[in-house]
Amino acid sequence: MARPYAPGPKQFVFSVGDGNDQKVSVGDAQAAYVAFSAFFRDRDSDVYTIGDEPAGQSLVLMPGRGVIVRVEGADRPRSEYLRVDRGNRHLPGAMLFFENGHAGLDHFGQWFSDPADLDAPPETRGAIRAAAFTTEAAALREVARIWADSGIVDPSDRYYVFFDSHDADDDRAERAERAELLALIEFLGIERVDAPAGAAAGEVWVRTDARLAAACARWS
């Protein structure tokens, strides 16, 4: 059973820009997701917006363009943009928004404040994302998040493996994340090593150290 909103219920507004907005009052994130899924399926639109007016937040889904926008701040709105390479990621993004609002999408992908960055090559997008982490603590958290999504610890316990069994020519989102990782491990001074024979071409192997082990342990 979904965790009830506290305080609740919560109110959301669903819209596609045609003036026929749908207002819902729901007790938990699952109920919000069910209501929005029906709204999404019943309309053919380029833009779908979920508004949480009391929180000053909204989520905009653009399936045709493969873009998601999250907006925070009622007085001075701040928008961040995400390129999604698979159409079936829009509704999961909505669910994360219903569960934890703007912050619920922190680790859903690589967000950019400038929409022009979305059209940059994946490797450039990854480098831009990495540059946003200016402290060791923040960079380690991001490296650990990437590892938790696709990594393992080598049986020898001497190496952390990222993108386990993945090819080098995976989708654009993963290529961007791999570029981000490489920039971050360089920033942190973590030693990258050659993958052993037989490893998938997209794997990234690094020698573990105490900082990396501690950061990844929080995601295990």
Side-chain angles (χ1 to χ4, degrees):
M1 181 177 294
R3 173 171 53 87
Y5 288 131
K10 289 194 69 169
Q11 286 75 44
F12 296 97
V13 178
F14 307 150
S15 64
V16 293
D18 62 358
N20 295 317
D21 297 353
Q22 179 178 329
K23 298 181 180 180
V24 300
S25 179
V26 289
D28 57 54
Q30 183 62 37
Y33 177 78
V34 170
F36 180 71
S37 295
F39 179 87
F40 186 87
R41 289 193 302 268
D42 289 345
R43 289 159 177 80
D44 182 14
S45 178
D46 294 330
V47 180
Y48 301 80
T49 300
I50 303 167
D52 181 352
E53 294 180 1
Q57 300 180 352
S58 60
L59 186 71
V60 183
L61 308 178
M62 304 179 187
R65 294 179 55 192
V67 172
I68 297 176
V69 187
R70 63 177 183 175
V71 184
E72 184 175 41
D75 297 329
R76 300 180 63 183
R78 298 179 303 279
S79 299
E80 291 184 304
Y81 303 82
L82 170 71
R83 174 78 68 193
V84 290
D85 295 316
R86 296 182 295 278
N88 60 1
R89 298 195 75 204
H90 288 85
L91 286 177
M95 184 63 190
L96 291 173
F97 183 75
F98 291 132
E99 289 178 331
N100 289 299
H102 183 279
L105 289 136
D106 282 351
H107 302 307
F108 193 56
Q110 296 180 321
W111 296 93
F112 297 96
S113 57
D114 186 346
D117 292 334
L118 296 177
D119 295 321
E123 292 72 19
T124 301
R125 287 163 50 194
I128 293 170
R129 170 72 173 172
F133 298 93
T134 57
T135 68
E136 179 177 291
L140 278 168
R141 285 194 297 270
E142 179 68 356
V143 168
R145 179 197 67 78
I146 295 171
W147 175 82
D149 284 345
S150 62
I152 62 169
V153 180
D154 179 66
S156 70
D157 285 332
R158 293 185 297 161
Y159 307 105
Y160 276 66
V161 182
F162 296 79
F163 307 109
D164 177 47
S165 301
H166 290 213
D167 293 326
D169 57 352
D170 285 322
D171 63 37
R172 288 172 57 87
E174 188 158 298
R175 286 166 55 199
E177 195 163 66
R178 186 177 290 106
E180 178 193 3
L181 171 68
L182 295 178
L184 288 173
I185 62 177
E186 181 177 359
F187 170 71
L188 291 166
I190 295 172
E191 182 184 355
R192 184 181 178 187
V193 300
D194 292 335
E203 291 183 355
V204 175
W205 287 58
V206 302
R207 196 179 304 278
T208 190
D209 63 20
R211 298 171 302 157
L212 181 60
C216 291
R218 299 188 183 98
W219 289 84
S220 299

